[in-house]
Amino acid sequence: MRLARISLVLTAMVFGGFGLWLLLRPEGITGLGVELTGPVARAEIRGFYGGLELGFALFFAVSASRPRWFGPGLFAQAAALGGAASGRIFGIVADGVSDGLFFALLAAELAGCLVGIVAFRRLNRQG
C-alpha cells in the first residue's frame, strides 16, 4: 500500500505542476516545437494541458488519500501515462521525431506507467 500511495502522490504532483505551469504560461509548450498562433491556440493549451492535467492531479491526490481509491487511481495513472507514451512512440515512428526532450518525456511517462502497473498488481495481491 505504501508504493501505491507514493506513486499516486508523485503522479499528482507532476500532473499538478505541469497543469499549473501550462495553465498560467501556455507558451511553455513551445519548447517542444509546438507553435501558438493566436488566442485560440493559447486557450486550447490552457484548457487541455492545463485544466485536464490539474483535474487528473486532483483525482490522483484524492486517490492517494483514500485507500479504497488506490486501485482506480493506479489504473488511471497507468492508462493515462501509458496512453501518452504510446502516442509518443507512434509519433516517433510516424513522424521521425528525434528530440531529446521528447525522449525524456517518453521515458518519464513509461516509468510512471510501469510503477502504476507494479503498484496496482501488488495492491491486488494484498487485497
Side-chain angles (χ1 to χ4, degrees), residues 49-84:
Y49 289 93
L52 184 68
E53 288 201 31
L54 285 172
F56 264 118
L58 177 61
F59 174 71
F60 295 131
V62 171
S63 295
S65 71
R66 299 180 181 176
R68 289 180 52 155
W69 286 36
F70 284 178
L74 291 166
F75 180 85
Q77 173 186 330
L81 293 172

Side-chain angles (χ1 to χ4, degrees), residues 47-126:
F48 196 81
Y49 289 93
L52 184 68
E53 288 201 31
L54 285 172
F56 264 118
L58 177 61
F59 174 71
F60 295 131
V62 171
S63 295
S65 71
R66 299 180 181 176
R68 289 180 52 155
W69 286 36
F70 284 178
L74 291 166
F75 180 85
Q77 173 186 330
L81 293 172
S86 296
R88 285 189 196 279
I89 291 167
F90 184 84
I92 289 167
V93 173
D95 302 317
V97 174
S98 62
D99 180 75
L101 177 57
F102 192 85
F103 283 110
L105 292 170
L106 171 61
E109 290 160 353
L110 285 172
C113 175
L114 291 174
V115 170
I117 290 169
V118 168
F120 184 79
R121 291 186 63 158
R122 282 189 184 177
L123 188 66
N124 285 335
R125 276 192 247 134
Q126 294 170 356

Side-chain angles (χ1 to χ4, degrees), residues 34-59:
V34 177
E35 294 181 28
L36 300 181
T37 58
V40 172
R42 283 190 299 283
E44 178 63 18
I45 297 302
R46 288 182 202 276
F48 196 81
Y49 289 93
L52 184 68
E53 288 201 31
L54 285 172
F56 264 118
L58 177 61
F59 174 71

